Amino acid sequence: MRLLLVEIRVLAFDDLDVRTAYDVWRLRQEVFVVEQECAYPDLDGRDTELATRHVVGLRDGAVAGYLRVLDDGPVARVGRVVLARSARGQGLADQLMTVALEVVGERTSVLDAQAPLAGWYGGFGYAVDGPEVLEDGIPHLPMVRRSPSG
């Protein structure tokens, strides 16, 4: 596997420049709504929350990958993990998740993994925490990564 060289930025909503924000939402739409055929309101109001952190992977100034970390009270929630087709299979998702875990810090974090990716998330310390559910026709598993303190 060839490692994709990117710049990874962690940004609050107000720190996203207009071009980057547009490219993030376009990528999310291209992958989740068009490629995966999941018609749902991607712009759910959570992107603008003060505690939300946008983890953006840029290659040559263009958005190649993305995820967001939300504050769900007692836990952090990792979601919207997405890569441009041209960036897949090159290690970018690993880099994004590593940075996401730095953002999460010592907190417990949760995510809803597409079922085939549960093993990959397991490599970051996540464990299945409930039954498989169908979300937009795609099997998902709730997963948790517990805080070292409990």
Side-chain angles (χ1 to χ4, degrees):
M1 168 176 60
R2 178 172 70 92
L3 185 63
L4 183 64
L5 297 176
V6 295
E7 172 189 359
I8 297 181
R9 294 183 186 166
V10 177
L11 303 165
F13 178 78
D14 288 341
D15 297 326
L16 286 167
D17 64 84
V18 173
R19 166 84 47 206
T20 301
Y22 176 85
D23 289 347
V24 161
W25 291 307
R26 185 184 66 207
L27 176 61
R28 287 177 10 187
Q29 176 182 288
E30 286 173 355
V31 174
F32 299 134
V33 177
V34 177
E35 182 182 325
Q36 295 181 355
E37 299 178 351
C38 299
Y40 69 97
D42 178 54
L43 297 178
D44 59 2
R46 306 273 337 246
D47 292 311
T48 61
E49 293 176 0
L50 290 177
T52 296
R53 291 297 171 262
H54 302 273
V55 181
V56 183
L58 300 164
R59 179 178 56 190
D60 299 325
V63 175
Y66 169 87
L67 63 77
R68 71 181 182 185
V69 179
L70 303 174
D71 181 354
D72 275 1
V75 300
R77 176 172 295 279
V78 176
R80 301 293 201 267
V81 181
V82 63
L83 297 177
R85 188 179 297 273
S86 64
R88 296 177 190 165
Q90 300 173 57
L92 176 56
D94 291 343
Q95 294 173 59
L96 291 171
M97 279 301 296
T98 298
V99 172
L101 293 178
E102 291 171 6
V103 171
V104 167
E106 296 295 315
R107 293 179 73 189
T108 293
S109 61
V110 297
L111 54 82
D112 295 319
Q114 291 187 4
L117 297 174
W120 178 74
Y121 286 111
F124 293 95
Y126 286 89
V128 174
D129 191 42
E132 184 176 285
V133 295
L134 213 54
E135 244 180 76
D136 297 309
I138 299 173
H140 282 74
L141 290 164
M143 300 188 78
V144 64
R145 181 176 185 266
R146 302 219 182 268
S147 161
S149 61

